[in-house]
Amino acid sequence: MKIFLDTADLAEIRRAAEAGLIDGITTNPSLLAKVTGDREPREIFREICEVVDGPISAEVVATDTEGMVREGRSLSELHDNIVVKLPLTEAGLRACRTLSGEGVATNVTLCFSTAQALLAAKAGATFISPFVGRLDDVGHDGMEIIAEIRQVYDQYGYDTEILAASLRHPRHVLEAMLMGADAATLPSAVLYKLLRHPLTDAGLEQFLADWKGTGKSL
Ligand code: E4P
């Protein structure tokens, strides 16, 4: 399963990429707004593409098909690894069909149901992003739709990749793996929680203390 980092923060991206922990990046307008300041958003996307050699999702902000297609074409020209992120609206699916037909990689986002995911696959989406945590927030079991989408895509032979999104803790990531998601996007806090385990820390501390007792070096 591919792991993407859900951020536009270059320091976070560099750290995870240099450690070899991530396969790509997802961003959204809220994440981009946090880091933009007086920089040009396109400059930020270009820089991310230089740091990470994998799919980099850049989201449109137009709400009409024509505007989404225009923004999507222009974003995709920034780098071969750019994936144009489009909202799961009628206009977004129309734009997805057009851009996918032109060979542009797409990520249909803000997916909250299996039926929506089917429509995105039919529109040719490269990735579908079901938002697990936000479904949990309103009292649903967000992970259920990952399992359902997996079943539907396999049953009908769609090759759209399931990108589990809005993951809030390591258990979400584990469950996404078990459900057969193709990729998961997570914030840095969740990525490092996955990496660390208290028994690893305790075990290492014990090994080093025992070795120190010998007074020798390697
Ligand atoms: C995914 O593409 C989104 O950027 C992200 O996972 C949303 O997560 P949130 O619900 O924690 O904001």
Side-chain angles (χ1 to χ4, degrees), residues 2-81:
K2 286 170 243 176
I3 293 187
F4 296 159
L5 199 64
D6 198 25
T7 184
D9 184 306
L10 276 156
E12 288 181 24
I13 292 171
R14 271 203 191 90
R15 177 182 170 194
E18 284 166 8
L21 295 175
I22 53 169
D23 304 294
I25 298 292
T26 55
T27 63
N28 63 40
S30 305
L31 294 171
L32 194 60
K34 282 191 199 162
V35 299
T36 297
D38 53 10
R39 301 192 62 193
E40 279 302 313
R42 273 150 214 274
E43 205 185 297
I44 298 174
F45 288 133
R46 265 196 218 100
E47 217 168 317
I48 295 175
C49 290
E50 279 165 22
V51 177
V52 180
D53 185 18
I56 311 296
S57 287
E59 188 161 343
V60 300
V61 288
T63 52
D64 62 304
T65 304
E66 204 183 309
M68 289 181 193
V69 169
R70 192 175 49 246
E71 288 178 359
R73 282 180 184 144
S74 149
L75 286 168
S76 75
E77 279 167 12
L78 289 175
H79 195 280
D80 284 352
N81 285 345

Side-chain angles (χ1 to χ4, degrees), residues 6 26-28 31 85 109 129 131 134 165-168 185:
D6 198 25
T26 55
T27 63
N28 63 40
L31 294 171
K85 209 169 171 191
T109 188
S129 289
F131 275 35
R134 292 194 195 187
S166 186
L167 303 181
R168 305 273 168 77
T185 187

Side-chain angles (χ1 to χ4, degrees), residues 181-198:
D182 299 286
T185 187
L186 30 149
S188 285
V190 176
L191 178 67
Y192 294 105
K193 278 185 192 161
L194 277 187
L195 175 66
R196 293 199 61 181
H197 196 288

